[in-house]
Amino acid sequence: MKDQRAEEFARCAVVLAAELRETRRDGAVAADPEEADPFAARAPTGDDPFAPFMAGREGVFDQALSNGLAAIVASEWPGKVDSKGRVLSASALLRVIEEHIPATDGIVCVPDEHPMPDIPQDDMNSLFQARHRLSSHTRIDVRTLQNGIEASQAARHGRGAGALQHRHIEALLALDGHRSLGVMGEEQQDRIQQIAHAEDSASQKRAAEYLERIGEEEATRRAENVANPNAYHPKHSPDGHDLDTCPVCGHETFCVEGLDPVFGQVAYGQCLVCTYARTPGAAEDEAFTEHLRSIMDDE
């Protein structure tokens, strides 16, 4: 079970990771990617739900780094994470790591597993498990992380603008490979589900308000005259679908664009009467909820 430090690392790191992806997607990366400022002012694309433009990124970077390093040091060298009852700073934690595993060209490689004990050759099950343990390492770019700390100080302490670069964030994200962390995937999935649920709730609310404005009589008239722009045709529209029932207005006017990618049960698309729109993410979330409900009913 991950501790609070790992959770704090994940909360901050996924936001920075999203910001890094956004700059690469919208073409804002400079000619030299190592010197590019991933937070340079730009028009948000709207494609990334996490942080299309983020203020206070230096503080987020420092919080992620401090918690990530504290989790690693506490796991590898218990008792070295604090001094006089206070958790060491990120810079001091980097020094602790280097004291125990000297860096080579600024890089420390922390083994992911402790040395394996001797295993009797006749204990084939234990031998099989041992051979399949992770034998890689966590790459800690001490030099780049220390430079990132220095680059964030100006903004954090009111002395000017920050200067975080892609390489600083990438070095931070690499920490998630350590066994004390490994939390970013779960955190990101949780955020995606939360955002999908919030967006779907907002879409249902807008559709209900629109339905109230046009009235039930007008909604019924529109439903009777609606045409399916995505109807199935074996030649011209093999990926088409029949109209589905809209969960907001109740009419069979939901234009299906596709089914959730995991279970293939819940449709996403938009209602042609009340305008309710369900995204693929919301469809997947709804399908997962229905899947859990069916399991509970079977039990």
Side-chain angles (χ1 to χ4, degrees), residues 8-72:
E8 287 299 316
F9 168 83
R11 280 195 322 116
C12 299
V14 294
V15 177
L16 293 167
E19 196 64 51
L20 192 63
R21 289 195 302 274
E22 176 107 0
T23 61
R24 287 173 170 164
R25 181 168 51 239
D26 67 15
V29 178
D32 184 352
E34 287 197 354
E35 298 305 318
D37 176 4
F39 305 102
R42 61 191 181 279
T45 66
D47 293 334
D48 196 299
F50 300 136
F53 183 75
M54 185 178 65
R57 57 264 190 181
E58 291 81 14
V60 176
F61 174 84
D62 184 75
Q63 184 172 339
L65 182 58
S66 296
N67 280 279
L69 292 175
I72 292 173

Side-chain angles (χ1 to χ4, degrees), residues 122-188:
D122 57 350
D123 188 352
M124 296 306 296
N125 184 53
S126 297
L127 183 61
F128 176 82
Q129 293 177 355
R131 286 177 176 172
H132 286 77
R133 290 174 183 168
L134 293 176
S135 58
S136 59
H137 56 267
T138 301
R139 184 177 185 274
I140 302 179
D141 191 336
V142 176
R143 184 180 299 168
T144 297
L145 290 173
Q146 183 58 50
N147 185 261
I149 294 171
E150 296 166 1
S152 68
Q153 293 302 302
R156 290 184 57 244
H157 298 291
R159 297 196 300 267
L164 284 175
Q165 299 165 4
H166 281 85
R167 60 194 179 100
H168 300 140
I169 301 172
E170 289 172 341
L172 169 72
L173 302 183
L175 300 180
D176 195 53
H178 193 268
R179 60 182 175 275
S180 66
L181 298 175
V183 287
M184 286 186 61
E186 182 178 349
E187 175 68 18
Q188 183 165 316

Side-chain angles (χ1 to χ4, degrees), residues 28 64 76-77 85 120 165 176 184 231 237 244 256 258 265 278 281 287 295:
E76 296 289 340
W77 306 285
Q165 299 165 4
D176 195 53
M184 286 186 61
S237 184
D244 202 353
V256 179
Q265 296 178 349
R278 179 190 285 146
I295 293 176

Side-chain angles (χ1 to χ4, degrees), residues 8 14 48 65 91 150 181 189 193 196 204 224 238 246 248 269 298:
E8 287 299 316
V14 294
D48 196 299
L65 182 58
S91 293
E150 296 166 1
L181 298 175
Q189 186 60 36
Q193 291 178 344
Q204 291 195 40
E224 292 172 348
C246 174
V248 176
D298 291 341

